[in-house]
Amino acid sequence: MFDDRYTLAYKSYPYEKSPDQDIDAPVRHPVVVMGGGPIGVATALDLGRQGIPVVVLDDHEGIGMGSRAICFAKRCLEVADRYGCGEPMLEKGVVWNLGKVFHRDDKVFEFNLLPEDGHKYPAFINLQQPYFEQYMIDRLRELQDKGAPIQLRGKNRVDSIEVHDDHVTLKVMTPDGPYTLEADWLIGCDGANSPLRGMLGLDFSGRVFQDSFLIADIKLKGDLNFPTERWFWFEPTHGSGASALLHKQPDDVWRIDFQIGWDVDRKEELKEENIRRRLDAMLGDVDYEMVWSSIYTFQCKRMDSFRSGRVFFAGDAAHQVSPFGARGANSGMQDVDNLGWKLGLVIQGKAPESLLDTYDTERVHGADENILNSTRSTDFITPKSETSQIFRDAVLSLSGTYEFARPMVNSGRLSVPCVYSESGLNSADALAGGPERTQPGAPCPDAPLGDEYLLSKLGDEFILLTIDAEAPEILEEDGITARRLALSTRDDPTGQLRKRYLGEASSAVYLIRPDQHVAARRAEYNETLMRTALRRAAGKEVSQ
């Protein structure tokens, strides 16, 4: 009845019969999420914390084996922190800031990702995906114990759906047989090969790059250790691949990627003796244990639209990018962060359904940005024309000596949060001299506030952030409430708040969305204009 697609690392949500299965008429739920991976669980956390009932259906009973995604960016961790599970991720993860790029045996470039001081979370951590998922499930269980309306159902496979004007009907198979349920809204978080996408006859458009990469996770033995850095080789002299990547994970596990070419026998390449042949050529006389291996192909593709009536798509179900740059899970978490508050407002009757269309426009923009950067990285790593090869080799040759060439070295531009600068939810920028990094549409950068941090104080509601400016403690407009957070540069000994939010201005009033993106900013509070900005940010007024 069930053909398991992968081996479990953790059986985190074993099958239990639901009361829905014993009711003749289909039970209607406000939200059903299809897929229990990291993006599906994050969606449940986002909605459940708002008090929105949500049911997650997964055809397995837990978390798959293998490290898979391992690089989690600062913005992703900040979202997880709002959900209540960021700190254990940071505690377990390997923090890294330094990356080095080699051409054959010569170091040609290095970069440091450490942002300026005054952030709760680092630029990146390395953490195996099973840990990342399990920390979110642990948090989900804590919320369930506190009464959050979240259900996580293992061994519940969706076999078919019917989309209606006001709901979706799902046929679900379980070990106890089939049953039917209904959802006001359905969110597809069911991965790159999304069965839901297939059920709707939808597909990706984009590009598949003709090259293959072998992943090998190994656990080093003995006293030998490498620095906690990201090392990337173009044309390594050890001959184990056309390029290679090495970086560290928790538990003394190291990730190594080898570029092995397009026309390869995958079954043959995945044999342990052949993987060890490549590893030994690279590492020399090093004792190690093989932990996990896989082969992947670069793909940069997305759906034409992330919304289809009552159905939404998020994460790999909506878009795919090459792994170099860590844009997969990180962009999926931004999808959830964008959709969650909008769907919550619509379900609660506080915003028009048209607000949900901005999920598509904003996150398609984010996907296109990721695809552009991933495509550029892939073209540099795996040039497919003589001209591209000449350019790549010239850049690498010059980078060892000339500083101007080093920024052109592209071993994977790493994930950064998306700026929705053209979003219709924004109001025109009205803060003269304000920093570009906090323009309308931008994600809020963190800043230290004594023993606390700004993002923790913003939370996940509409906020009027005032800095040396007056404003009401509460702004209510047509069912939407914005709470004031009053700050002053007098309480900013590091100067980071001024630098990141005032720039050349002496005061500021920011309207912050629940996903901590800037919706509007002005030098002083203006009742009429801020009410208009709040209506616009909630999708109730079209931006001019």
Side-chain angles (χ1 to χ4, degrees):
M1 184 183 296
F2 282 89
D3 182 17
D4 289 339
R5 293 176 288 111
Y6 51 76
T7 303
L8 295 183
Y10 304 110
K11 194 172 183 178
S12 302
Y13 37 91
Y15 171 74
E16 294 181 2
K17 192 172 184 180
S18 163
D20 290 359
Q21 295 169 240
D22 292 325
I23 300 175
D24 291 336
V27 176
R28 177 80 66 92
H29 296 275
V31 181
V32 171
V33 175
M34 190 169 161
I39 306 308
V41 173
T43 302
L45 286 173
D46 196 301
L47 294 170
R49 290 173 63 253
Q50 298 179 59
I52 305 295
V54 55
V55 177
V56 181
L57 305 177
D58 193 65
D59 60 348
H60 278 66
E61 296 177 291
I63 299 166
M65 187 74 72
S67 60
R68 294 168 288 155
I70 64 168
C71 293
F72 294 97
K74 179 175 179 290
R75 189 62 186 175
C76 174
L77 296 171
E78 289 167 348
V79 173
D81 191 55
R82 290 215 313 279
Y83 295 162
C85 48
E87 291 184 359
M89 293 174 181
L90 179 60
E91 182 178 351
K92 180 67 176 180
V94 173
V95 176
W96 65 274
N97 300 303
L98 190 64
K100 295 179 180 177
V101 179
F102 301 86
H103 186 208
R104 300 188 176 95
D105 291 330
D106 299 323
K107 186 180 77 171
V108 296
F109 181 57
E110 72 175 52
F111 55 89
N112 195 321
L113 293 171
L114 181 67
E116 71 271 63
D117 292 337
H119 295 261
K120 181 175 181 179
Y121 286 94
F124 272 90
I125 65 168
N126 281 1
L127 179 70
Q128 294 93 324
Q129 184 172 324
Y131 286 127
F132 184 84
E133 290 188 52
Q134 188 60 53
Y135 289 134
M136 287 201 292
I137 291 172
D138 290 344
R139 177 56 177 160
L140 185 150
R141 297 303 188 199
E142 290 176 2
L143 293 175
Q144 285 179 322
D145 290 342
K146 295 177 181 179
I150 304 171
Q151 298 182 49
L152 182 51
R153 301 181 185 177
K155 288 286 187 183
N156 274 242
R157 185 186 68 217
V158 178
D159 284 345
S160 67
I161 68 164
E162 293 180 10
V163 181
H164 308 278
D165 290 341
D166 63 346
H167 72 282
V168 181
T169 301
L170 301 91
K171 303 291 186 182
V172 184
M173 180 59 71
T174 75
D176 287 318
Y179 73 105
T180 302
L181 56 77
E182 295 178 346
D184 292 333
W185 303 96
L186 175 62
I187 305 175
C189 305
D190 51 341
N193 297 316
S194 172
L196 177 59
R197 203 174 58 236
M199 292 173 195
L200 292 176
L202 302 173
D203 204 352
F204 281 138
S205 58
R207 184 176 170 191
V208 177
F209 294 84
Q210 293 189 349
D211 218 326
S212 302
F213 289 78
L214 170 69
I215 293 175
D217 282 358
I218 63 172
K219 188 177 183 69
L220 294 177
K221 298 180 179 181
D223 297 330
L224 181 65
N225 202 359
F226 294 106
T228 306
E229 301 170 354
R230 180 188 191 266
W231 287 8
F232 189 97
W233 288 265
F234 290 98
E235 300 177 336
T237 56
H238 48 69
S240 58
S243 66
L245 173 68
L246 169 73
H247 48 161
K248 187 178 182 180
Q249 307 172 56
D251 305 328
D252 293 321
V253 174
W254 291 79
R255 160 70 60 83
I256 304 176
D257 293 59
F258 298 109
Q259 182 184 351
I260 61 175
W262 177 248
D263 188 19
V264 296
D265 184 334
R266 292 190 169 210
K267 185 175 180 180
E268 190 70 19
E269 290 288 348
L270 283 171
K271 289 182 177 178
E272 182 172 342
E273 62 267 27
N274 291 326
I275 298 175
R276 285 187 175 275
R277 174 178 53 80
R278 293 183 183 276
L279 290 167
D280 293 344
M282 177 181 183
L283 301 173
D285 187 19
V286 173
D287 191 13
Y288 59 86
E289 171 190 347
M290 287 187 56
V291 176
W292 182 71
S293 62
S294 181
I295 290 178
Y296 64 87
T297 299
F298 275 177
Q299 300 186 58
C300 290
K301 304 186 294 185
R302 70 165 173 85
M303 299 178 66
D304 292 336
S305 175
F306 297 172
R307 180 185 182 189
S308 179
R310 290 264 157 180
V311 181
F312 300 93
F313 292 86
D316 285 352
H319 46 76
Q320 287 180 265
V321 290
S322 61
F324 289 111
R327 296 174 182 273
N330 288 298
S331 62
M333 288 291 284
Q334 292 182 60
D335 291 345
V336 176
D337 195 33
N338 189 285
L339 177 59
W341 69 272
K342 295 174 180 178
L343 187 55
L345 287 181
V346 171
I347 290 174
Q348 293 164 10
K350 296 180 179 180
E353 186 180 319
S354 58
L355 176 64
L356 300 175
D357 292 331
T358 67
Y359 167 69
D360 176 60
T361 56
E362 290 185 345
R363 291 312 300 155
V364 162
H365 167 68
D368 286 344
E369 190 175 85
N370 282 324
I371 287 171
L372 175 63
N373 281 285
S374 290
T375 298
R376 288 173 174 171
S377 297
T378 305
D379 283 338
F380 193 88
I381 293 169
T382 63
K384 292 299 185 291
S385 70
E386 184 179 356
T387 301
S388 296
Q389 184 78 45
I390 291 171
F391 171 78
R392 201 278 301 271
D393 291 348
V395 167
L396 293 174
S397 178
L398 291 168
S399 294
T401 305
Y402 299 101
E403 186 174 349
F404 80 89
R406 292 167 191 163
M408 290 186 279
V409 175
N410 192 338
S411 63
R413 296 283 187 258
L414 291 158
S415 175
V416 294
C418 184
V419 177
Y420 308 127
S421 55
E422 302 299 320
S423 173
L425 303 183
N426 297 342
S427 294
D429 192 357
L431 183 64
E436 182 179 358
R437 68 190 295 183
T438 46
Q439 64 180 294
C444 291
D446 211 352
L449 299 173
D451 295 332
E452 298 180 277
Y453 289 89
L454 173 62
L455 296 189
S456 298
K457 285 182 169 291
L458 292 180
D460 47 15
E461 57 187 321
F462 281 105
I463 292 290
L464 275 178
L465 171 62
T466 63
I467 305 174
D468 294 329
E470 295 300 318
E473 295 303 311
I474 295 290
L475 177 64
E476 295 184 2
E477 177 64 20
D478 196 16
I480 303 295
T481 300
R483 174 180 61 85
R484 183 188 181 196
L485 174 61
L487 301 176
S488 173
T489 53
R490 294 188 299 273
D491 303 317
D492 180 32
T494 68
Q496 298 293 356
L497 183 67
R498 174 184 291 280
K499 178 181 177 181
R500 295 168 195 175
Y501 287 87
L502 289 182
E504 299 175 5
S506 58
S507 65
V509 178
Y510 280 78
L511 177 63
I512 310 298
R513 302 180 351 177
D515 58 358
Q516 298 185 347
H517 280 252
V518 176
R521 64 178 185 175
R522 306 185 59 80
E524 297 178 347
Y525 180 75
N526 179 295
E527 180 88 12
T528 300
L529 295 178
M530 200 54 73
R531 286 185 178 278
T532 300
L534 183 56
R535 287 178 55 83
R536 182 173 296 133
K540 297 187 176 190
E541 184 162 328
V542 178
S543 179
Q544 301 296 323

